[in-house]
Amino acid sequence: MLSVSTTSMIPVRRVFLSLLVLAGPTMAQGKNTPPPQEEQIAPPIVSVPYDDKLARFAEVLGSVHYLRTLCKAAGGDEWRNGMQQLLDSETGNEQLRKEKLTAAFNRGYRAFASVYTDCTPAAIVAEERYRNEGATLATEITSRFGN
């Protein structure tokens, strides 16, 4: 009769089982996965040389919008409307750029919303400084990259 040692089989079983466990998900992926549709393919990322400055400008717009609304300054909604005009003119059908600029606007808005809950002299000074930075950015972008 043939004698088989089970102690030598245990490592082989472990190796075999671990290979099955690791290969299982990859083998299962190829069976019922439909081919990628055109909607699933990510659109090419469009980037322009002034995107970083534009994102900062959007962030400044969000900050100024929050601070002017907080301090009940005249024309508070003009900053949100300006952001919408920026999105319409700059992004067109480029959804990723639109999302990036919108996120920057919201980040600027939230940054001051987390700090200022009342209109204080410091909030007024911050709003003025951000308006000045926004004016500088707008001038730089248009003079360097404008038509």
Side-chain angles (χ1 to χ4, degrees):
M1 185 173 336
L2 185 64
S3 168
V4 177
S5 169
T6 56
T7 57
S8 66
M9 290 182 62
I10 292 174
V12 173
R13 283 185 190 168
R14 285 184 187 161
V15 170
F16 181 70
L17 287 175
S18 64
L19 287 175
L20 281 177
V21 169
L22 293 174
T26 58
M27 289 172 36
Q29 286 176 356
K31 289 185 179 178
N32 293 325
T33 306
Q37 301 291 326
E38 286 187 27
E39 296 87 30
Q40 293 176 346
I41 298 172
I45 297 174
V46 177
S47 179
V48 294
Y50 54 90
D51 264 352
D52 291 339
K53 287 189 181 286
L54 205 59
R56 178 62 186 154
F57 183 68
E59 193 171 343
V60 167
L61 286 175
S63 298
V64 172
H65 173 66
Y66 175 78
L67 292 168
R68 289 188 66 85
T69 304
L70 178 69
C71 293
K72 296 175 181 34
D77 276 345
E78 73 184 50
W79 301 96
R80 182 192 310 251
N81 296 338
M83 181 63 194
Q84 187 60 53
Q85 289 174 350
L86 176 72
L87 289 174
D88 293 342
S89 65
E90 277 297 319
T91 61
N93 293 331
E94 301 162 3
Q95 189 61 30
L96 293 176
R97 283 186 73 218
K98 186 174 187 174
E99 289 172 6
K100 180 181 175 183
L101 292 177
T102 301
F105 180 88
N106 291 337
R107 186 172 46 252
Y109 187 94
R110 285 190 212 108
F112 280 98
S114 67
V115 175
Y116 295 105
T117 55
D118 294 319
C119 184
T120 63
I124 294 170
V125 169
E127 185 269 334
E128 183 179 333
R129 288 182 180 165
Y130 271 70
R131 265 190 303 120
N132 291 336
E133 182 183 354
T136 301
L137 282 167
T139 302
E140 286 177 5
I141 292 169
T142 54
S143 67
R144 185 165 180 201
F145 301 103
N147 294 348

